[in-house]
Amino acid sequence: MTPSDTAKNPDPSPVADTAPMDQKQAQDLADKVMRDLDSASRHRINSDMGPWRIAVFVLSVALTVFQLYTALFGTRPTLIQGSIHVGGAMGIIFLLYPLHRSLCLKSDKNRKAYYTALSVDTVLSLLAMGTSVYLLANYTYLTGVGVQIHGYSTLDTIVALVAILLILEATRRCVGLPIVIIAVVALLYFWLGNYSPIMRYHGTTWQNMVQQTYYSSRSIFGVPIQVSSSFIFLFLFFGVILVRTDIGAYFNSLAFRLTGRFAGGPAKAAVVASAMQGTVTGSSVANAVTSGSFTIPLMKKVGFGPKFAAAVEATASTGGQIMPPVMGAAVFIMAEYTGVPYSQIILIAIVPAFLYFAGVMLAVHFEARRLRIEGYSKDELPRWKMLLKRLDQLLPLGVIIVTLLAGTTPQKAALWGILIAFVISLLRASTRLGFKDTILLLEEGAKTALPVIAACATAGMVAGIVTATGLGGRLADGILTAAGENFFLVMFFTMIACLVLGMGLPTTANYVVTATVAAPILISNFDVPILAAHLFVFYFGLLADVTPPVCLAAYAASGIAGSNPLKSGVTALKVAVAGFLVPYVFVMEPVLLFQGDQNPLMFIPVFATALLGMAVLSAAVAGFYFRKLVAWESVILALAGLLLVYPVIAMSLLGLAIAVVMAIYQRMTERKKTLGTSTGAGV
């Protein structure tokens, strides 16, 4: 089967001639899916808000200007910077995000309820900003020696309690319930830990709980918010400018040019495009919908089933969060937690990211071979001449990478990227920014950051409590006991913990929670290199987005594909199966991350056997090797793949031998079948 009828004039992007729905239909469907599944997309529409629109505009522009100012001239002390960052975001969130999704859009039926809710939310917005103003106005007193001697006043405690409740509610509205539930459980454990049936903690007073949570630089205003207010906001704003220059369409066209001519071209292009867009977006769900509205219809048109098309997009979009240089913005927090410079992390993370996407690409390849789906012809693909004319769109990313590797701080690198992206936007009429567009861009930058700020504040709350109560150590002891201190079982149980903790969480919050709770298990008890342990929990926290039953990326992609969400999730799990092995490999053989004390030359055999193993395992899952597999052949081949991936040379050689024997066996039986058919036809 060939897709020769799907693209006639693909420059600069094949979408217009190949997609079975026009761009407006695709955008409408994408918006609907995002509103159904992504809390960050359930906000009020500007045109419905009346005079409140002005308040949102002013607050948003002011927040972005503050972030740019402090990036240029230096950040303020932790609590001052954090309180402006969080307070400003909370004020905007309550105006933008309603109590319930039914109040997002105004209609004739809900007009009264809409404006009543907006009026109430105005009070909450003022209250949220008021708590930050209180902290700013009393900063000297709240951080002085007097408080340490005499304690906080009743008013201090009430303000802290109100602030915590408002942060949790704001997070629920724009991020979702899972992270809020985790935070509430952590707060209750901090307060009433002496009543806990497991992992008992002596507890504290509710007054001390709220005081330590709000007025400390180790909780709400801890590392996540510190990094968010200095690095993450700038990179999110950088992403907004890149989107304004239509870089997503360029990524899609470039991906098709690179992979479209191979078997299953559209699906392979989806993998490459999502990997590249992962450097811009910070959400697997948003990535799946944005990229999927383009790639999923193409995959379906050339012969891939709806659930497989959704699974490929979901798996690739989830992988976008592990793709350097931005890595879903979590990499900046990782640098703070691990003490490993950001410039080193993005280099080290290239290898596991490559293996992950190689695994997804191999799954696509064998499925395409099984279905006999070929690639596009050369004439149907975007022309290199057209792509090279727009190569300048990649310059901002290149500038960021080069400046970071040269030793520039992430803050300055982001500023350079923003400046270059803005200049490039002026080169074309379609992306040129006038004064009004620039001001609206400042507003959009703040709006994009709101869910991340809320998630970081709430996740910081969890991280602070876990540290203060020693909960991480108790959880580690529990897992060690359950696993009998077996290293492999400890990794397996840690993986399960990360998959559970990561369900429904955005990337940054996901990493903060898993790094705080799960990473110490591997570091403290088995001397796993710190970066390997943190990447391990980061990967599995993210893979919750393609792991049923709460596989949000798969659900989002299925909304575009029109497939069964749960079946798409199960299929995504199969597509990502090789990627599930990558973290085990780099923890057991840290040389894959250039960590540990092994000979660096060991990198080559470990990398090669891991790649071969994923190829064999992907073939087993797809049911096609050199021909279609029967059940027992799939089992044998899966065993060979696992043995190849296992980083022990004897095991890998055994796996290689089995894979080679299976290849010879398939070739021989296929040849006999072909000869038999030919002989029969001749007779």
Side-chain angles (χ1 to χ4, degrees), residues 527-567:
D527 295 327
V528 173
I530 188 169
L531 189 57
H534 278 256
L535 285 174
F536 183 92
V537 300
F538 180 48
Y539 269 53
F540 283 121
L542 289 175
L543 284 169
D545 280 348
V546 291
T547 304
V550 185
C551 39
L552 290 185
Y555 283 13
S558 71
I560 302 293
S563 59
N564 179 286
L566 188 57
K567 289 182 178 179

Side-chain angles (χ1 to χ4, degrees), residues 120 237 249 284-285 312 348 385 413 496 498 508 517 529 550 615-616 642 666 676:
V120 172
F237 184 54
S284 56
V285 173
V312 169
I348 291 169
K385 183 178 179 181
I496 298 299
C498 292
T508 46
V517 175
V550 185
V616 172
L642 292 172
Q666 282 216 313

Side-chain angles (χ1 to χ4, degrees), residues 141 144-154 156 211:
Y141 151 70
V145 178
V147 164
Q148 305 301 320
I149 298 173
H150 303 293
Y152 294 94
S153 70
T154 301
D156 298 336
Q211 292 160 4

Side-chain angles (χ1 to χ4, degrees), residues 251 273-282 287 317 319-321 323 326-328:
F251 279 151
S274 292
M276 291 190 288
Q277 290 198 37
T279 64
V280 178
T281 63
N287 202 348
S317 295
Q321 308 308 292
M323 189 68 183
V326 179
M327 296 172 68

Side-chain angles (χ1 to χ4, degrees), residues 169-216:
E169 171 58 12
T171 304
R172 183 195 68 80
R173 293 187 183 198
C174 68
V175 178
L177 198 55
I179 182 63
V180 175
I181 292 174
I182 293 173
V184 169
V185 170
L187 286 167
L188 290 174
Y189 182 76
F190 193 13
W191 177 24
L192 303 171
N194 54 318
Y195 295 106
S196 175
I198 57 173
M199 295 182 286
R200 183 164 296 185
Y201 170 67
H202 58 71
T204 187
T205 63
W206 72 267
Q207 293 94 334
N208 184 61
M209 175 190 72
V210 299
Q211 292 160 4
Q212 293 303 313
T213 300
Y214 190 63
Y215 296 122
S216 168

Side-chain angles (χ1 to χ4, degrees), residues 223-237 239 277-284 318-337 342 345-346 410 448-449 451-453 455-456 506-512 538 542:
V223 169
I225 279 296
Q226 291 169 27
V227 176
S228 173
S229 63
S230 55
F231 304 151
I232 294 177
F233 188 101
L234 296 176
F235 277 89
L236 293 175
F237 184 54
Q277 290 198 37
T279 64
V280 178
T281 63
S283 164
S284 56
T318 299
Q321 308 308 292
I322 64 173
M323 189 68 183
V326 179
M327 296 172 68
V331 65
F332 307 111
I333 302 175
M334 189 180 296
E336 294 294 320
Y337 276 178
Y342 171 80
I345 294 178
I346 60 174
T448 300
V452 176
I453 296 172
C456 284
T507 303
T508 46
N510 192 322
Y511 170 67
V512 171
F538 180 48
L542 289 175

Side-chain angles (χ1 to χ4, degrees), residues 448-682:
T448 300
L450 295 178
V452 176
I453 296 172
C456 284
T458 304
M461 203 182 299
V462 175
I465 292 170
V466 168
T467 302
T469 60
L471 179 60
R474 293 182 180 87
L475 182 62
D477 291 341
I479 288 180
L480 284 170
T481 301
E485 299 193 9
N486 179 281
F487 183 41
F488 184 82
L489 284 178
V490 167
M491 285 196 295
F492 178 77
F493 288 144
T494 303
M495 175 192 76
I496 298 299
C498 292
L499 290 174
V500 173
L501 290 170
M503 288 181 178
L505 300 189
T507 303
T508 46
N510 192 322
Y511 170 67
V512 171
V513 172
T514 54
T516 305
V517 175
I521 300 170
L522 300 175
I523 299 168
S524 302
N525 299 282
F526 295 98
D527 295 327
V528 173
I530 188 169
L531 189 57
H534 278 256
L535 285 174
F536 183 92
V537 300
F538 180 48
Y539 269 53
F540 283 121
L542 289 175
L543 284 169
D545 280 348
V546 291
T547 304
V550 185
C551 39
L552 290 185
Y555 283 13
S558 71
I560 302 293
S563 59
N564 179 286
L566 188 57
K567 289 182 178 179
S568 297
V570 172
T571 306
L573 191 63
K574 293 179 180 178
V575 172
V577 67
F580 270 81
L581 300 177
V582 173
Y584 283 92
V585 177
F586 64 62
V587 166
M588 297 177 73
E589 282 291 350
V591 69
L592 205 60
L593 302 177
F594 306 102
Q595 305 283 294
D597 54 3
Q598 279 191 312
N599 186 340
L601 293 178
M602 284 299 296
F603 171 86
I604 296 173
V606 171
F607 178 82
T609 54
L611 196 58
L612 282 171
M614 288 192 296
V616 172
L617 188 59
S618 296
V621 172
F624 187 95
Y625 194 32
F626 289 92
R627 60 163 172 76
K628 288 185 178 181
L629 298 167
V630 296
W632 71 266
E633 292 174 326
S634 294
V635 172
I636 296 295
L637 210 56
L639 175 62
L642 292 172
L643 289 171
L644 268 165
V645 169
Y646 195 81
V648 173
I649 191 66
M651 295 287 194
S652 297
L653 289 175
L654 177 59
L656 179 62
I658 295 173
V660 170
V661 170
M662 283 296 297
I664 294 171
Y665 171 77
Q666 282 216 313
R667 287 287 194 181
M668 290 176 61
T669 53
E670 185 68 11
R671 184 175 298 176
K672 287 181 180 179
K673 182 179 177 181
T674 303
L675 289 173
T677 302
S678 300
T679 304

